[in-house]
Amino acid sequence: MALSQSEVLAGLAEIVNDETGIAADAVALEKSFVDDLDIDSISMMTIVVNAEDKFGVKIPDEEVKNLITVGDAVDFIVGAQG
Amino acid sequence: MSHPQLNQYTAVQFSRIYGLGAARGDLIVSNDEVAGPIDSSDEWIRQRTGIIERRRASANLSLMDMAVDASQQAIAAAGIDPSEIGAVLFSTITHPHQTPSAAALLADKIGANPAPAFDISAACAGYCYGIAQADALVRSGMAKYVLVVGGEKLSDFIDPTDRTISFLLGDGAGAAIVGPSDTPGISPTVWGSDGSHWDAVGMSASLLELRDGTTAWPTLRQEGQTVFRWAVWEMAKVAKKALEVAGVEAEDLDALVTHQANIRIIDELAKQLKLPENVVVARDIVHTGNTSAASVPLAMHALLKSGEVKSGGLALQIGFGAGLAFGAQVVVMP
């Protein structure tokens, strides 16, 4: 069954926390990965791969650069779910 | 129609690495020296790449000088005479002549003339490609000893203002002598390529574009995220396969010697392999930088020299880079 936006956000926040140590509740929809959360390109890719595993979706390399905010990533994952 | 039966090579059963040699650039280049043109800092570079300094060669030290130095060390360590070398394989992407090969000149300079000699273009996978071919040449009986060199003077092909790869790069050469053995010393190789990502890492332009005046001097570039994803998660599969075909488990290893691309690739790859803590992970990149084809032999040489891993230990070595190309094998360290 497809996960809701809030469920994906919670799961993504957990992944971000594992990779960067950023508190899960700081990972909000409007936050920018680079400008607000200071996540670099390598950490971003680790988050992407772990999100693919967790949510069972494919996030192509060329899509990653469009994921500016946490909300962008959540929306992409919600939309990509079977 | 009858004819006399042909002779074929007489195979030998096993091969091993006899000795290694290492030569690094003569200049120590700090992060502060490369940070300015990319609007960065020592701290940023350390955090993002693990590099504290990289070794680069001055104008007076050529790729060939470093290759000769490393080769002569490997020959001495192996205890052979250079005239016994039956093939010279030189992996490099920075030999500044399209032809003739760097290998033929190297063979002549070290006293291996008239050994067959050719270059390998497999970038950061090149040394592991070379070990694979040396293993095959030795076990088939085509050559008694093979000299494998991975060498680069990458500083000739960088753009100081490039933020994707140039600041990582260093210069050096690593060499190995492979020869016949009474016991297995080189596992089957897991190697391959993926040209669907041909553009992910490589030169910024072709020589034809340079001739036509449509580009400045071509330099190295990469799509960092694409390369990172491939280098960690695809290479973890390759590394696991290499252990499987070698018939060993991760806990049997003494060392993991990956291409020294970026400390975060090395650490993430080690994590994916779930290596026990006693397996030493080579981190030569910290003081040498990324030296492409030279990085695996330089890193293994450093582990042996420091005594962190003893001769006879088992190492999984894996090279990966432009092509994309990859190669991995388990070897007994000389």
Side-chain angles (χ1 to χ4, degrees):
Chain A
M1 201 176 90
L3 299 173
S4 68
Q5 190 192 52
S6 61
E7 287 168 324
V8 170
L9 175 61
L12 188 62
E14 208 173 290
I15 292 169
V16 171
N17 175 258
D18 281 349
E19 169 63 16
T20 65
I22 295 168
D25 58 7
V27 184
L29 291 174
E30 71 282 5
K31 293 284 175 68
S32 155
F33 286 109
V34 176
D35 296 334
D36 297 324
L37 302 178
D38 197 26
I39 290 173
D40 68 24
S41 62
I42 284 185
S43 288
M44 185 64 190
M45 201 43 103
T46 307
I47 290 164
V48 162
V49 173
N50 288 329
E52 286 185 336
D53 277 355
K54 188 173 189 122
F55 300 114
V57 298
K58 280 271 164 233
I59 308 174
D61 291 353
E62 55 274 19
E63 189 59 46
V64 175
K65 60 178 171 293
N66 299 327
L67 308 179
I68 309 297
T69 65
V70 173
D72 294 337
V74 169
D75 288 347
F76 182 87
I77 292 164
V78 169
Q81 292 181 106
Chain B
M1 196 165 74
S2 71
H3 53 64
Q5 181 175 294
L6 292 177
N7 292 328
Q8 285 210 264
Y9 289 111
T10 304
V12 300
Q13 196 174 3
F14 302 123
S15 65
R16 67 182 170 90
I17 298 174
Y18 276 59
L20 297 176
R24 290 175 172 78
D26 53 336
L27 305 174
I28 296 173
V29 178
S30 70
N31 287 339
D32 285 333
E33 289 174 74
V34 299
I38 55 171
D39 190 24
S40 182
S41 66
D42 175 40
E43 188 195 354
W44 187 92
I45 294 172
R46 284 187 194 216
Q47 209 171 55
R48 259 66 173 183
T49 71
I51 296 172
I52 293 175
E53 60 199 14
R54 75 277 300 127
R55 296 289 290 269
R56 287 185 179 167
S58 59
N60 297 326
L61 186 67
S62 69
L63 169 62
M64 190 57 62
D65 294 334
M66 293 187 286
V68 168
D69 183 3
S71 299
Q72 287 173 338
Q73 291 174 38
I75 291 164
I80 65 164
D81 189 274
S83 64
E84 297 177 279
I85 293 172
V88 174
L89 315 184
F90 193 163
S91 177
T92 183
I93 56 169
T94 49
H95 171 48
H97 295 259
Q98 292 283 99
T99 193
S101 72
L105 184 58
L106 176 64
D108 186 60
K109 282 180 177 284
I110 60 165
N113 185 336
F118 56 93
D119 294 353
I120 298 170
S121 177
C124 311
Y127 173 78
C128 295
Y129 267 47
I131 293 295
Q133 293 177 60
D135 165 54
L137 290 170
V138 168
R139 285 189 301 104
S140 69
M142 283 187 79
K144 185 172 182 189
Y145 299 108
V146 177
L147 170 64
V148 179
V149 176
E152 306 289 2
K153 191 171 178 183
L154 294 163
S155 60
D156 284 336
F157 298 91
I158 58 172
D159 168 3
T161 65
D162 159 50
R163 293 175 65 90
T164 69
I165 194 167
S166 293
F167 66 102
L168 305 171
L169 301 175
D171 302 330
I177 295 289
V178 175
S181 177
D182 295 333
T183 53
I186 300 173
S187 77
T189 295
V190 177
W191 58 338
S193 67
D194 178 4
S196 73
H197 289 299
W198 193 81
D199 290 337
V201 53
M203 302 303 288
S204 55
S206 76
L207 292 178
L208 300 184
E209 291 167 282
L210 182 67
R211 179 196 63 190
D212 295 342
T214 56
T215 181
W217 177 242
T219 56
L220 288 154
R221 289 286 189 284
Q222 71 170 339
E223 291 169 21
Q225 285 188 319
T226 297
V227 174
F228 177 70
R229 188 198 298 232
W230 176 79
V232 173
W233 287 278
E234 292 306 311
M235 290 308 99
K237 293 177 203 164
V238 170
K240 286 173 188 166
K241 184 76 183 168
L243 291 175
E244 185 192 323
V245 300
V248 301
E249 306 285 340
E251 53 264 33
D252 298 321
L253 294 174
D254 296 285
L256 172 68
V257 184
T258 72
H259 165 51
Q260 304 287 295
N262 180 319
I263 204 90
R264 292 167 69 188
I265 291 177
I266 297 168
D267 289 347
E268 191 64 41
L269 194 48
K271 186 174 150 191
Q272 295 296 322
L273 294 178
K274 300 183 172 64
L275 293 181
E277 278 190 7
N278 60 306
V279 179
V280 177
V281 177
R283 292 188 175 86
D284 190 50
I285 188 172
V286 174
H287 295 288
T288 303
N290 173 344
T291 55
S292 189
S295 82
V296 168
L298 287 179
M300 184 174 287
H301 185 271
L303 290 184
L304 288 164
K305 193 177 173 192
S306 69
E308 282 176 274
V309 184
K310 298 272 182 289
S311 168
L314 273 188
L316 169 59
Q317 58 181 25
I318 177 166
F320 44 83
L324 298 169
F326 60 88
Q329 60 259 123
V330 178
V331 302
V332 176
M333 294 170 73

